[in-house]
Every structure is written in C-alpha cells, then in structure tokens.
Amino acid sequence: IVSYNVKDFICQCIRSIYKSNLSKSDYEIIVVDNDSHDDTISVIKKEFQEVTIIENTNNEGFSKAVNKAIKKSSGKYISD
C-alpha cells in the first residue's frame, strides 16, 4: 500500500484486510510511506505491529514505492 498523507484511509484499509476471511498466513501487508507529515508512520507502528513499513524520506511517487514493496515482500505472488 502506498501512502502519502492519508493516515485515516490507510488505517481503514488495513482494518478491512484484517476483517476479511483471509488467514493471516495468506497475506502480508507492506506500507510504503512517501514522506507523509500526518503521523501515518507512528499510527501504523502503534496500531498495526504486523505491518511492514518502508519509510521514504521524500515522495518518490507511486511506481518507485511499489517497486520497493515488491523487493521487500516475501510472498510467492504479488497482487495489486
């Protein structure tokens, strides 16, 4: 999930994944934050400890952020 100053939407997105019928062993959540200034990172770290976070120091754009997440992922399949 790519994030830029959308803390509330990211939290809603993660909660909806947790509420799904999927087993936690069936997915991983990676958030790439493009230098948000709305406390996105601190909220995710506090509320969703299982989420992998990549913190960019500037807004690198969507495609670079997605590529970083793919490199960090451990799953066999990548879905968008």
Side-chain angles (χ1 to χ4, degrees), residues 30-34 41 52-56 65 68-70 72:
I30 302 171
V31 173
V32 182
D33 186 77
N34 273 330
I41 297 299
T52 301
I53 303 169
I54 299 171
E55 299 179 54
N56 287 336
K68 281 187 173 185
I70 289 171
K72 183 88 171 177

Side-chain angles (χ1 to χ4, degrees), residues 1-52:
I1 305 168
V2 178
S3 169
Y4 180 69
N5 291 324
V6 289
K7 172 184 62 182
D8 294 332
F9 293 117
I10 295 299
C11 291
Q12 288 175 16
C13 179
I14 294 168
R15 284 187 197 105
S16 72
I17 294 168
Y18 286 166
K19 289 180 183 178
S20 74
N21 292 330
L22 294 170
S23 167
K24 286 194 176 191
S25 64
D26 290 337
Y27 64 87
E28 64 183 324
I29 300 174
I30 302 171
V31 173
V32 182
D33 186 77
N34 273 330
D35 195 31
S36 292
H37 302 285
D38 65 351
D39 296 322
T40 298
I41 297 299
S42 60
V43 169
I44 292 173
K45 285 180 178 179
K46 181 180 177 187
E47 293 187 33
F48 310 105
Q49 292 84 27
E50 312 84 18
V51 172
T52 301

Side-chain angles (χ1 to χ4, degrees), residues 2 32 54 61-73:
V2 178
V32 182
I54 299 171
F62 181 79
S63 38
K64 283 187 178 182
V66 169
N67 287 333
K68 281 187 173 185
I70 289 171
K71 288 178 184 174
K72 183 88 171 177
S73 69

